[in-house]
């Protein structure tokens, strides 16, 4: 099946006479005829037994997303933050390190630089445009993963996935890619060598600003038996001595994440959230196409305005990342545009307050056009140095083009820029 079809049909196959749409299975528990059956599930979790880590409605969505990404399995989480966090905790323990590009989502910077540090896990930030030699120099013997964002939020740099996959693999470690802004419709990182993909499903996947969520997808391609990942190849005492690679093969990473992290930390979405996420996924493919179409036109409009100092949109021919965008995001570079207004922070705030149709929200990648000033909002906690490392200037506005009529979006911008 191709993307449009996967969006509508993957993940759920009704029984004869069963409901045509995956129902909301609103239950914490599942009943079994025999004690032995339950015991068997503890050996091989092939059916849902407790909704802290598995639920049939969520499972259907997990299967759909895994198929869209071309992976072997997926696990939904209650937020994108939980997905980023678990993707690392599944590989790193106290005393380990991992590499991340510095142009990543502000919340992820916090998680990596502050919270994981408290757990004894070091994040080594690197410039995504660094040469392979410079990147190699950042790797240490205890480095267990490489992390980056396909299309960075909000810097909109494009990750050279192949370069980072080569770096990771030549060091025997996996590449984790946050594919939130691109979605599998615009880029499938596994095709370029990524091993694990994560998403904040709160953005385009949900699409309608209805619920927070995340997902981790496993390509099934990484060889965990290379000696660097004993937690995968030695008996897990917390799971009656199971060896993940032996029992679960290609699904070792996701089963381990589910049976250790989700079981113990419990950040699983509710069935109802998964049901709503599925509605978003059903139209993801056609929505992504339109976001990209609208955004190119809006980016060109900004480009031609004398009130705007610079426009960042990798889909524009003269953008710094256009060559990488052509390679990794040939169908388009999403609906998100960054602009720097002439006049700095004050002008940015005046322009935003002038807008009527475009909503001021702490959100992005939504069906409705929305705007945000990162330096005073999402990235407020970062130091000036960190802000610049993330590619954020004081007058920068993140403009997320929605699915309204294009002329209405542009008229709003035109009047908004009128008296900044
Ligand atoms: C929003 C976002 C996150 C965090 O996701 P939440 O669902 O808000 O927890 C992570 N990565 C990227 C790229 C994001 O845009």
């Amino acid at each position: 099946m191709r993307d449009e079809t996967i969006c509508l049909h993957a993940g759920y196959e009704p029984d004869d006479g069963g409901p045509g749409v995956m129902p909301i299975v609103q239950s914490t528990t599942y009943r079994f005829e025999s004690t032995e059956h339950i015991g068997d599930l503890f050996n091989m979790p092939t059916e849902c037994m407790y909704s802290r880590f598995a639920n049939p409605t969520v499972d259907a969505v997990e299967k759909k997303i895994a198929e869209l990404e071309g992976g072997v399995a997926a696990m939904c989480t209650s937020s994108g933050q939980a997905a980023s966090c678990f993707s690392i905790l599944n590989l790193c323990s106290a005393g380990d390190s991992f590499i991340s590009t510095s142009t990543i989502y502000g919340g992820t910077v916090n998680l990596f630089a502050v919270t994981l540090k408290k757990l004894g896990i070091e994040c080594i930030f690197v410039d995504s445009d660094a040469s392979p030699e410079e990147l190699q120099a950042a790797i240490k013997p205890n480095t267990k993963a490489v992390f980056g964002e396909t299309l960075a939020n909000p810097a909109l740099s494009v990750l050279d996935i192949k370069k980072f996959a080569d770096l990771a693999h030549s060091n025997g470690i996996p590449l984790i890619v946050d594919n939130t802004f691109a979605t599998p419709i615009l880029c499938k990182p596994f095709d370029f060598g990524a091993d694990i993909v994560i998403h904040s499903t709160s953005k385009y996947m949900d699409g309608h600003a209805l619920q927070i969520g995340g997902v981790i997808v496993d390509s099934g391609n990484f060889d965990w038996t290379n000696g660097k990942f004993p937690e995968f190849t030695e008996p897990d005492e917390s799971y009656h001595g199971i060896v993940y690679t032996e029992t679960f093969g290609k699904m070792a990473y996701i089963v381990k994440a589910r049976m250790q992290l989700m079981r113990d930390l419990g950040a699983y979405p509710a069935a109802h959230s998964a049901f709503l996420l599925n509605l978003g996924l059903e139209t993801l493919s056609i929505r992504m196409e339109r976001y990209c179409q609208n955004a190119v036109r809006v980016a060109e409009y900004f480009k031609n305005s004398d009130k705007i100092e610079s426009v960042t949109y990798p889909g524009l021919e003269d953008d710094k990342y256009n060559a990488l965008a052509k390679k990794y995001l040939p169908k388009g570079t999403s609906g998100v545009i960054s602009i720097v207004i002439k006049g700095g922070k004050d002008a940015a705030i005046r322009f935003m307050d002038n807008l009527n149709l475009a909503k001021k929200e702490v959100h992005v990648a939504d069906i409705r056009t929305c705007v945000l000033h990162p330096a005073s909002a999402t990235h407020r906690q970062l130091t000036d140095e960190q802000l610049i490392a993330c590619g954020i200037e004081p007058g920068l506005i993140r403009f997320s083009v929605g699915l309204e009529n294009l002329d209405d979006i542009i008229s709003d911008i035109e009047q908004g820029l009128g008296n900044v």
Side-chain angles (χ1 to χ4, degrees):
M1 291 194 289
R2 292 166 183 81
D3 287 347
E4 296 82 349
T5 320
I6 296 172
C7 283
L8 291 165
H9 294 285
Y12 171 63
E13 188 68 51
D15 294 333
D16 193 18
V21 172
M22 180 66 211
I24 302 170
V25 179
Q26 190 67 48
S27 181
T28 55
T29 59
Y30 308 87
R31 290 220 186 125
F32 301 97
E33 291 294 329
S34 76
T35 318
E36 194 190 348
H37 189 161
I38 297 182
D40 289 345
L41 288 179
F42 275 82
N43 284 338
M44 185 57 94
T46 50
E47 291 166 81
C48 299
M49 56 178 143
Y50 193 56
S51 294
R52 193 198 309 126
F53 48 83
N55 167 282
T57 313
V58 186
D59 177 73
V61 171
E62 288 168 343
K63 291 199 164 81
K64 181 175 282 188
I65 296 173
E67 199 162 331
L68 275 174
E69 286 287 7
V72 292
M75 178 177 77
C76 285
T77 56
S78 54
S79 69
Q81 286 297 99
S84 315
C85 183
F86 284 15
S87 75
I88 298 293
L89 290 185
N90 207 29
L91 300 171
C92 296
S93 311
D96 287 336
S97 69
F98 67 102
I99 301 272
S100 172
T101 61
S102 49
T103 41
I104 52 170
Y105 174 65
T108 315
V109 174
N110 252 357
L111 167 69
F112 287 178
V114 182
T115 302
L116 290 185
K117 190 175 175 189
K118 288 185 200 161
L119 302 180
I121 299 168
E122 182 198 7
C123 178
I124 303 162
F125 287 100
V126 296
D127 180 349
S128 65
D129 300 329
S131 70
E133 295 71 30
E134 288 168 316
L135 293 172
Q136 182 58 43
I139 301 256
K140 301 202 281 193
N142 69 357
T143 302
K144 295 292 174 66
V146 177
F147 186 100
E149 284 178 20
T150 312
L151 193 52
N153 175 12
L156 299 180
S157 50
V158 178
L159 186 75
D160 189 342
I161 300 174
K162 178 82 173 40
K163 177 176 77 177
F164 280 90
D166 289 347
L167 170 78
H169 297 160
S170 61
N171 289 282
I173 56 179
L175 172 64
I176 305 170
V177 171
D178 181 339
N179 199 32
T180 298
F181 271 15
T183 82
I185 306 305
L186 302 180
C187 177
K188 296 185 197 297
F190 296 154
D191 290 350
F192 302 101
D195 303 288
I196 307 295
V197 158
I198 65 148
H199 288 274
S200 164
T201 61
S202 323
K203 313 295 165 51
Y204 286 125
M205 281 191 167
D206 164 70
H208 300 74
L210 294 180
Q211 87 276 284
I212 298 293
V215 69
I216 307 177
V217 192
D218 184 357
S219 68
N221 292 335
F222 193 80
D223 176 14
W224 305 105
T225 65
N226 68 5
K228 287 214 158 201
F229 299 94
E231 280 200 20
F232 285 76
T233 53
E234 289 169 13
D236 176 2
E237 295 316 325
S238 82
Y239 193 20
H240 51 266
I242 266 180
V243 174
Y244 290 99
T245 47
E246 277 174 14
T247 310
F248 302 108
K250 278 184 168 301
M251 313 248 271
Y253 179 91
I254 281 292
V255 178
K256 178 175 173 298
R258 195 184 295 277
M259 299 321 289
Q260 291 180 338
L261 295 167
M262 200 55 91
R263 181 199 62 188
D264 292 0
L265 303 175
Y268 206 59
H272 187 249
S273 296
F275 181 84
L276 294 174
L277 173 56
N278 182 54
L279 290 183
L281 290 170
E282 287 183 341
T283 58
L284 182 66
S285 188
I286 50 167
R287 280 189 294 111
M288 290 315 293
E289 228 176 277
R290 181 63 75 87
Y291 290 121
C292 294
Q293 277 172 23
N294 281 358
V296 172
R297 297 276 304 280
V298 172
E300 284 164 354
Y301 181 87
F302 280 129
K303 196 92 203 166
N304 293 326
S305 165
D306 58 7
K307 303 267 171 75
I308 304 295
E309 193 172 297
S310 63
V311 181
T312 304
Y313 186 69
L316 292 177
E317 285 291 329
D318 60 353
D319 189 90
K320 184 178 172 197
Y321 291 100
N322 189 252
L324 285 176
K326 284 198 169 112
K327 176 168 178 186
Y328 294 109
L329 299 149
K331 291 191 212 161
T333 60
S334 90
V336 188
I337 301 170
S338 285
I339 52 168
V340 177
I341 254 198
K342 287 182 184 162
K345 188 172 172 176
D346 294 344
I349 291 170
R350 276 198 302 278
F351 168 60
M352 294 208 0
D353 287 342
N354 283 346
L355 293 169
N356 295 319
L357 182 67
K359 304 301 178 211
K360 289 169 281 292
E361 287 178 356
V362 182
H363 194 41
V364 63
D366 185 28
I367 201 158
R368 284 160 284 262
T369 296
C370 54
V371 280
L372 182 93
H373 183 229
S376 63
T378 44
H379 292 65
R380 197 183 182 91
Q381 71 281 13
L382 301 189
T383 64
D384 286 356
E385 271 176 2
Q386 284 175 318
L387 279 175
I388 288 164
C390 288
I392 295 161
E393 291 184 48
L396 183 130
I397 293 170
R398 190 179 63 193
F399 199 98
S400 175
V401 181
L403 300 187
E404 297 90 348
N405 178 284
L406 180 61
D407 294 334
D408 289 337
I409 300 173
I410 290 182
S411 305
D412 190 37
I413 295 171
E414 195 169 10
Q415 68 78 25
L417 285 173
N419 61 342
V420 288

